[in-house]
Amino acid sequence: MATSRPTTVPLGWAWLLILAAGALPARADGAGASVTATTVAEAHGDNHNGRGDDDDYGLVQERLNAGVNAGELSGSLRLDGDLFLLPPDASYQQNLRLERLTLSFAPGEWAVDAGDYYQQLGRGIVLSVRKVSEAGVDVAIRGLRLAYHGEAQELTLFAGQTNPTNIDSVNQRFVADPEDVLVGGSYQISPRPALHVGVIGLYNQPRERVLRDLDFTA
């Protein structure tokens, strides 16, 4: 199991980024920048699970989203910060980390994404790497993606590693990136408006294998 920890830095840096990005002027041609910040405060009491290492503490979470765009180029980032108040043990650490970073180039019918992106294949049946706010799940792919959207054809090719949010929404502990490898793509042609024919391919190589040491050979 990976045991890496997040880098601890003051949460005040997030507000400096908010002020810097907010000072960028918007332009008449549509280019500019946007910044949103969300602060959530929680108070945790005794959850009566028989353990004493996850009770009676406070948590302040900061989520900073910043984006810039200039014609065919755009970029975005998300900083996640967690400040624990009176934590029960040292496993709860104040930290600020770069959770999402994406640079996109979209000339005409083509689009190239580098960094973090969400991806589905087969309407989510073959692959569903996305954010589900209701369940506290946020997993992205960190890598490269090439997409083409024409009048009658669509093509997507991508490769990267899984990049989930590093704080478990249940126990508030840090979770290291599993770095599972995902490579895939899809191609669809639409000879008629109501007729779509396509193929999907996916390669998935998990870094952690539960049955690694078991031998099933006869």
Side-chain angles (χ1 to χ4, degrees):
M1 296 286 294
T3 58
S4 59
R5 300 293 303 169
T7 302
T8 300
V9 295
L11 286 177
W13 284 105
W15 291 106
L16 291 179
L17 288 170
I18 292 175
L19 295 175
L24 293 175
R27 291 168 47 183
D29 58 3
S34 64
V35 178
T36 60
T38 302
T39 303
V40 177
E42 300 178 356
H44 295 256
D46 189 349
N47 55 23
H48 303 288
N49 63 353
R51 297 174 51 181
D53 60 351
D54 58 358
D55 300 326
D56 303 320
Y57 67 93
L59 171 61
V60 179
Q61 293 182 314
E62 186 71 33
R63 299 294 180 259
L64 171 71
N65 291 274
V68 295
N69 65 86
E72 298 173 342
L73 282 172
S74 63
S76 64
L77 65 82
R78 193 183 92 201
L79 291 173
D80 288 4
D82 300 279
L83 173 62
F84 292 94
L85 307 174
L86 302 177
D89 59 41
S91 64
Y92 298 89
Q93 292 189 7
Q94 175 183 350
N95 66 89
L96 177 66
R97 61 196 180 278
L98 180 62
E99 194 63 68
R100 297 284 182 263
L101 177 63
T102 305
L103 178 64
S104 300
F105 178 54
E109 297 176 332
W110 292 89
V112 180
D113 299 307
D116 296 299
Y117 55 87
Y118 300 111
Q119 182 66 50
Q120 294 192 68
L121 290 176
R123 299 184 182 275
I125 298 176
V126 178
L127 176 69
S128 180
V129 180
R130 63 192 184 97
K131 181 179 181 179
V132 184
S133 301
E134 296 82 358
V137 176
D138 187 355
V139 182
I141 300 175
R142 176 163 292 178
L144 293 172
R145 177 173 60 185
L146 173 67
Y148 170 79
H149 296 279
E151 183 176 347
Q153 300 182 76
E154 293 185 2
L155 172 68
T156 301
L157 299 173
F158 65 90
Q161 295 179 322
T162 54
N163 180 29
T165 299
N166 293 113
I167 292 295
D168 190 305
S169 61
V170 177
N171 60 27
Q172 310 296 345
R173 298 302 210 285
F174 178 78
V175 179
D177 293 333
E179 298 179 346
D180 299 336
V181 175
L182 290 171
V183 180
S186 64
Y187 173 75
Q188 178 179 286
I189 185 171
S190 304
R192 295 182 179 180
L195 178 61
H196 308 284
V197 180
V199 293
I200 295 173
L202 176 65
Y203 171 78
N204 182 7
Q205 178 59 63
R207 184 178 180 183
E208 297 288 339
R209 294 186 298 170
V210 177
L211 304 180
R212 176 182 300 173
D213 300 325
L214 298 183
D215 185 2
F216 293 97
T217 58

